[in-house]
Amino acid sequence: MPKNLFSLLRISSLAIAAILISYTLTSYDTGKDTNNFFIGSKNNPPARVESQSKTYQITNPEITGLAGRWGVAVKDLKTDETYLLAADEKFPAASIYKLATLYKAYDAISAGELKKDDVVSGSISSLQETLSPADASPIREPRDEPEYTSMSVENALNLMITISDNSAAILLSERLGWGNIDAFMEAQNLAGIDLVEKDSPTVTAASILALLERIYRHTAVDWQSSEEMQQLLFAQKVNDRIPKYLPEATRIGHKTGELEDVRHDAGIVLGQQSHYIFVFLTQSANPTEAAENIAKLSKGIYDAMEARWSLKTNSLLAYTSV
């Protein structure tokens, strides 16, 4: 066979395979969809997906019947399908506000207003007063440490996200300016993140989902900034919620939040087959139970997403093997 003809046939085969992949992943529905987890299974025959970018309200009693207040937002990043429950309701931000500080810090670094080797510093007593009494343990015992603490911006970013260090977050937020961070959120159409609320910062599940999606798609500030933000989130060391029951190989970039009656977790999950974001904001009289419920729901969502895309992949293999 002439070499040119062989190359042409090979290119044609690749093009056909690409068409089959596109058709299978966007048009074929096995009937065992993620919707079954969020809005309940239906006794309907398998149907073709008519369009993407759909939004659904979660009605599954496994989620809606949980005690306390819940704000939930889940997005399949391959289809843009979104599932919401009270996603526009305000919740105390707890440490979830640190995502807004992270975003603004990288914006300031990109604009040359802040450098990673800049030093942020403040007094221990002043930092402690900034914390709510319901926040986690004190920053440190004054009798054992100097009155002042300082660190580089780069170190503050790392500590703020990976171990949710409060002193790092407050030093960095005060350097940027709470009002400036809040105004930046509004300018980015993330007004559901309010850092100048009268009593304490508040967030909504929908706004946190939108912020995380920009980081995932590398549109938060710029590609490099988004990539560095991702790496910090994927280095998270507080893993008692979203990752608790997921396979060890799963990559999870997330941020927790915790106050006396609050347990939050929000993250990007990269499974074997699926990529999705999910945000769980909770306020209840039993926060320990709420944290466990987040972990269990995380496993349910993971299994539903993986099953959905595994089935689509299997159907693709059936198509291409014919």
Side-chain angles (χ1 to χ4, degrees), residues 140-161:
R140 54 175 63 96
E141 293 294 333
R143 66 177 181 274
D144 297 330
E145 298 287 346
E147 171 58 20
Y148 286 85
T149 185
S150 64
M151 62 190 76
S152 69
V153 166
E154 184 173 29
N155 194 31
L157 287 166
N158 180 63
L159 293 174
M160 175 181 73
I161 297 300

Side-chain angles (χ1 to χ4, degrees), residues 45-252:
R48 295 188 184 280
V49 177
E50 295 179 359
S51 63
Q52 299 180 349
S53 302
K54 288 183 176 179
T55 300
Y56 304 91
Q57 294 300 314
I58 297 172
T59 59
N60 187 337
E62 185 178 344
I63 302 175
T64 61
L66 293 169
R69 296 177 61 224
W70 287 75
V72 182
V74 182
K75 185 164 188 174
D76 185 329
L77 292 164
K78 292 185 176 182
T79 66
D80 284 343
E81 290 170 306
T82 306
Y83 307 86
L84 305 173
L85 172 66
D88 291 322
E89 286 191 19
K90 293 182 177 182
F91 284 77
S95 287
I96 291 288
Y97 85 83
K98 294 168 186 174
L99 291 172
T101 300
L102 175 72
Y103 195 167
K104 176 56 183 173
Y106 271 96
D107 176 70
I109 291 168
S110 178
E113 300 166 357
L114 188 68
K115 295 183 176 62
K116 290 182 182 179
D117 58 1
D118 284 349
V119 174
V120 290
S121 60
S123 72
I124 300 298
S125 58
S126 175
L127 290 170
Q128 195 65 58
E129 288 175 5
T130 305
L131 291 171
S132 161
D135 273 311
S137 58
I139 293 170
R140 54 175 63 96
E141 293 294 333
R143 66 177 181 274
D144 297 330
E145 298 287 346
E147 171 58 20
Y148 286 85
T149 185
S150 64
M151 62 190 76
S152 69
V153 166
E154 184 173 29
N155 194 31
L157 287 166
N158 180 63
L159 293 174
M160 175 181 73
I161 297 300
T162 63
I163 63 171
S164 202
D165 186 88
N166 288 319
S167 58
I170 294 170
L171 288 173
L172 194 53
S173 297
E174 292 187 344
R175 173 65 174 269
L176 294 166
W178 295 99
N180 292 333
I181 301 171
D182 191 71
F184 179 68
M185 291 296 100
E186 289 194 18
Q188 295 296 311
N189 295 318
L190 297 171
I193 302 171
D194 187 350
L195 301 192
V196 293
E197 185 81 9
K198 182 179 179 181
D199 296 324
S200 64
T202 59
V203 295
T204 67
S207 62
I208 296 301
L209 184 146
L211 189 158
L212 288 173
E213 184 174 5
R214 293 181 193 185
I215 293 175
Y216 170 82
R217 298 197 187 282
H218 290 88
T219 60
V221 184
D222 52 43
W223 196 96
Q224 182 61 35
S225 297
S226 294
E227 180 65 18
E228 292 184 21
M229 284 187 261
Q230 276 194 36
Q231 295 310 311
L232 288 171
L233 291 169
F234 282 111
Q236 173 64 247
K237 299 185 185 303
V238 183
N239 294 316
D240 64 332
R241 282 157 242 181
I242 291 178
K244 186 173 182 179
Y245 297 121
L246 301 192
E248 289 186 9
T250 309
R251 294 194 65 209
I252 306 154

